Amino acid sequence: MTRKTILLGLSLNEPRLLTGRAPIPTHSPASLLRYLETFYALGAPAINRAALRTEQYRQIIALHQEQATQLPFYAKTFAADPLATAEELLSRRDELLEGGWKISRTPSETIPVRLRVTLELEQLVLADTNELDLLPGTADRLNALLAALPEDRHPRLQILLNEPRTFLPPGTQRLLTGLETLGDTVEQLPQPHAGDASTDLGKWQAALSGAELTDNNLTGDGSLMILRAQRETHLAAYVARTLRDNPDWRPSALLTIRNQTLDNAIVTEGLPSMGVPSNSLARPSLQVLKLVTAFLWAPIEVERIMEFVSLVNKPLHWRLANKIAIFLADTPGMFGPRWRGMIAGFFRDMKSERNWPDKKIKQVRDQYEIWFERKRYQRDELVPKLQLRFLFLQLREWALEERTEMRKEDVRKGRAQGEYGGLLVLYSQAQRAVELLDAQPEQGLGYLAVERLVRTVYEPAPAQFQPEEQGALPAIFAPASALQLPGQEPVARLLWWDFIENEPDYFFSRYYPPELAYLEAQGVSVSTPVQKNTLSIWQQARPVMHAGKQLILCLPDRVDGTEVEPHPLLGDLEAAFAEGTLANITIDVDHAGAATAIPGLTKPNFTGVPIAPLARPVPQINIQRLRDMGEREFESPTSIEDLLFYPHKYVFRHSLRLKKTPILSIASEGRLRGNLAHRLIEQLLREIGGQPARMNRAEVDTWIDENNLRLFQNQGAVLLQYGQEPERIQFIRTMKKAAWALVYAIKENGWTVRGSEELVIGDLEAMGQAMKGRADLVLTREKNGAVEVAVVDLKWQGKGTFENLLKNARDVQLALYGDFVSQNKMADEDGKILHPTPDNIHTAYFLIRFGKILGRNQLAFRQTETHGESEAKVVQRETLRRVRNTYNWRWAQFREGDLEIRCEETSGFLDDAYVGTNWDELFEMETSDARFDDYQTLIGLVR
C-alpha cells in the first residue's frame, strides 16, 4: 500500500528546512489534527475562537462560584481578573482532557480539591439545565478524532518525527499511538552526530553530545565563528557584504526573531530576499482597536485621542485628524469655544477652498460625530453593551471598506494589489470583540472590563514585506526546525543570525505533588517543568549539531536599541573550552578595519567616514533679496522684540513665515499651566472685575471652584486624567492664591478692570510702522482728578528673567503697550473713541505662580516688588526712543541686504563689526542664544 510520508515537528508549521523548501509535507501537531479532521467529517473552526471560549468559561466559573457551598480556591483571582482566571482554568481543563483524563466523570471527595473543581466545572458545561455550551477547543477536537479513528478513513501515513516521541505533548503521543493501531508508521529522524573532532565545530558538537574533550582549545579554523557588534544593524551590514563579496558562500540561516534587519541588508547589497514574514503588535492599523475605547470615557484621555488622530490609518479623514492633532498639541482640551470654532472652520474651509461636495462633508462630519460627539461615561460607571458593540461594529466595517478602497487605489495607479493583512486582522479582531460582547450576559461593562476585552482579542498582524526570491538563503525560524531528512546530506554551513536569549523560562509546576500523583495513578500525562526544560535544551542544541562544516553565531549587544543577553549556549561554549581561547573565534564587527576575516572568505571592505561637522554660525549673511523686503502692515510687540535683538528670528518667522512642522505631542507642563492660568484669570476678571462687591477672597475661591472643571475640560484635560489629581489640586491652590493676590491689589489700589486681552493699536513713530497687540490686563482709575491706566502683563513664571528686564530697561513689550494705550486709537463702529486719553500710565508684570507684582515703583500697586532705580516715566521714554532708533538701524541693515545672526558664538564677532556704533542711541545687544529659537539648525547652532 502506498504511504504518504509527512514530517511532524513542534515548530514545523511552515515548509522551511535548512536545505530549502521541504520535499514532503510538514506538519505541526495542530496542522496534523486539522488535516486528519478533513477525512472524518470533523469540522475544524474556520477562525480563532479562543477568546469566545474564555468568555464562555468565565460564565461557567461565575455560575460555579454562585452555587458553591464554600469559597472556591480561585475566588480571589477571579474577583481581581475574571477573564485571566477563566483563561488559566480553561487551559488546565484542556491540558487534562488532552492528557487523557475523562473529565466528564462525577467528582468525588477522594479527588484533590483543584482537580475536583475542574470536574465540577465540566459538569456545568455538560448540564442540560443551562445554555452554557462551551465551544470545542483543540483537546475536544483531539478526543473527537481519537473516537472516530476506528473508522479508518485517512490514507496510510509514514510519519517522520523530528523531536523524540517522549518530548511531544501527551495529546500528540496519544494520537500517534492511535494512528499506529490503524497501521500507520511512526519513525524517528536520525539524530545528528558530532563532526570532525579536529575542528572547532566538531569539538563543540562532541562536548554537547557528552563526550570528554582531549583538546579543549579553539584554534580559529573558521568552522566555528562568533560575530559580535554593538547593534544588530552592524552585523547585518557585515554579513550582507560578506555574502556579496563571496558568491560561493551561501549558508543556511536561522532567524529566531522574525524581523527585517538582515533581510533588508541583504536586499540592499543586491542579493535575493529570504522573504522573512513577521508578526507584530505594532502595526499601525491594529493600534486603532486599543484607542477607540478612549472615546467612551470621561475625563477624556487626551494622549490616547492624540495617538488616535495621529495614526496613519484611522476611521477619520486625515485632514480633519491632522487639524485636531495640531489643536490638541497646543490646547489639550476639547469641546470648548475654540474647539467648536476649529471644527466649524475646518468644514467651512473644506467647502470653500477645496470644493468638497456636500456628500463628502456629510460623510466626514458623520465620522467626527461617531467618535467625538458621543455620550461619555465616568470611570466608575458602566458603559452600555450596545454602545460598545456599536463602536466595534463601526471599526469592523471601516476596516473592510478601507481595505477595499486601498486595493481600488492600487488598481487605479497600476500597482499590484496589496493584501493589507493588518486591516483584515483588525476586521477579525473587531468581529471577535462583537462576538464576545454578544456572549456576555452583562448589559454594561466597566472601564477595566472594556480594556480586558480589548486585550483578549488583540493579537499580532502577520506581514510579509518581500516575497522569498529565487536564489535566497534557505531560512528557518526555530532552532528545532534544524533537521536532516533520511538520505540527505547535512547542511554544510549555518548562520545563526540572532544568537541571543529568546527562550521562555519554566520555573514551577501547574500542579501540586498530590495532584501529579493522582493523575499518574489515573494514567493521565501532563507536561512537567522538567520535561519542558529538557525539550528546550534539546531544541537549543539542534542548530549546532546539524551544522556540517561551519557555524557562524551572530551576537549583538543590542537589538532594536534594547540590551539583550547572549544565548545560554554561549555559557556552555565558554565552559567547554580553555579560558581565553574564545577570542580566537570571535570577530568584532565594530572594528572591521582591524578585525580578522572569517577564514577562507574575503573580508568586507568598510571605509571609515570622517565626521564632517556642519558649518559654524556666521555673524552676518548678505542676501540681496532682503533689500526688497517690505514692512508688514502691522507689527506686534513680540515681532518687534525679535527684530531688535535677533533679526534672523524676525526674518524667518515674521517675514518669510517659516514655521516648524508641529510636533503632535501635548504641550509641555510649563506652557500648559501658563495657558490655563492666563485663561482662568482672564475669565475671572471679566466676570467679577467690574463688581467691587464681589472682589473678596471667598468670592474668588468660589468662582475658581465652580469654573476650573470647565476650563480643564476645554483646555487642559490632561490634568483630569487618572493619576493627575495631586498636580490638579496643587494648580488650583496656586491659582486661588495668585488670583486673590491680583484681585486684592486691584481692589486695594482703587483700580477697575478696563479690559482683559484688550486689543491696542498704535504707531511706532519709526518709519510710520503701525502696531497691534493684545494687552493681558488693562486697569483704569481716577486719582486726584487724573485718569490713570495700568497695563499688567501676566506671566506664569520666570522671576529672574523679568527682574533683569526691569533693571536693564529692556521691558520692550510693556513700554510698547503703555505707549499704545496713551495713543488711544481704539474707537467703536461710529468712530467714537472708546476710552479717554490717560494722564498717567503704569506698567507691571504679574507672576502668577508666585502671586507677585514686579514693577519700577509702587505708584500703581503698593504690593509691587520694585526693580530699577530710575524714574519710571523717564525710563519708559528712553526705552521707546531706543526701540525706535534700533528699529530704524535694523531696517537700514536690511536695506543693505545684511542679516545679522546673533548667538553666543557670533556675539564677539558682531561686537568687533559694530565698533564705532553709537550705543547710547541703541539697545545693548544680547550675547546669548535666543530663547525658544526654532531656527537653530538653519543658523548652525545644531551641528
Side-chain angles (χ1 to χ4, degrees), residues 769-819:
Q769 179 63 59
M771 299 286 294
K772 181 190 293 185
R774 288 192 176 275
D776 290 343
L777 180 60
V778 181
L779 308 173
T780 185
R781 72 181 178 187
E782 189 171 334
K783 186 175 182 181
N784 299 326
V787 175
E788 296 187 351
V789 169
V791 180
V792 182
D793 201 7
L794 304 179
K795 303 293 183 184
W796 171 245
Q797 58 186 3
K799 190 170 183 290
T801 299
F802 298 110
E803 286 176 352
N804 289 332
L805 290 180
L806 291 169
K807 290 176 183 177
N808 300 319
R810 297 282 293 275
D811 50 330
V812 172
Q813 288 196 31
L814 283 182
L816 290 173
Y817 281 133
D819 187 45

Side-chain angles (χ1 to χ4, degrees), residues 315-356:
L316 186 69
H317 193 277
W318 68 271
R319 290 190 186 277
L320 177 57
N322 190 56
K323 191 81 171 178
I324 291 174
I326 294 173
F327 179 91
L328 291 178
D330 182 62
T331 309
M334 299 161 64
F335 311 119
R338 287 189 60 199
W339 171 275
R340 300 293 182 192
M342 178 270 295
I343 296 296
F346 169 81
F347 288 109
R348 185 171 56 250
D349 293 344
M350 292 303 101
K351 186 172 183 63
S352 61
E353 296 179 8
R354 298 195 172 271
N355 298 317
W356 278 13

Side-chain angles (χ1 to χ4, degrees), residues 878-879 881-883 885-886 916-924:
E878 180 64 16
T879 300
R881 184 179 67 84
R882 290 177 184 269
V883 167
N885 291 340
T886 309
T917 301
N918 184 7
W919 292 108
D920 291 337
E921 300 297 320
L922 307 173
F923 276 117
E924 182 181 351

Side-chain angles (χ1 to χ4, degrees), residues 419-439:
E419 282 300 317
Y420 304 106
L423 289 170
L424 286 178
V425 172
L426 178 62
Y427 172 86
S428 64
Q429 290 180 7
Q431 175 64 29
R432 283 202 293 278
V434 172
E435 292 175 350
L436 268 179
L437 288 170
D438 290 342

Side-chain angles (χ1 to χ4, degrees), residues 185-246:
T185 61
V186 179
E187 300 175 11
Q188 192 72 51
L189 285 180
Q191 296 300 304
H193 301 286
D196 186 353
S198 65
T199 65
D200 292 341
L201 177 59
K203 293 176 186 177
W204 193 24
Q205 289 173 337
L208 290 178
S209 300
E212 185 174 346
L213 297 180
T214 57
D215 180 6
N216 65 344
N217 291 304
L218 293 168
T219 61
D221 58 13
S223 62
L224 177 62
M225 300 298 297
I226 300 175
L227 303 181
R228 302 205 65 151
Q230 235 183 11
R231 294 180 176 85
E232 83 280 14
T233 50
H234 299 178
L235 287 173
Y238 184 93
V239 170
R241 184 62 61 87
T242 302
L243 288 167
R244 191 198 71 175
D245 295 344
N246 299 271

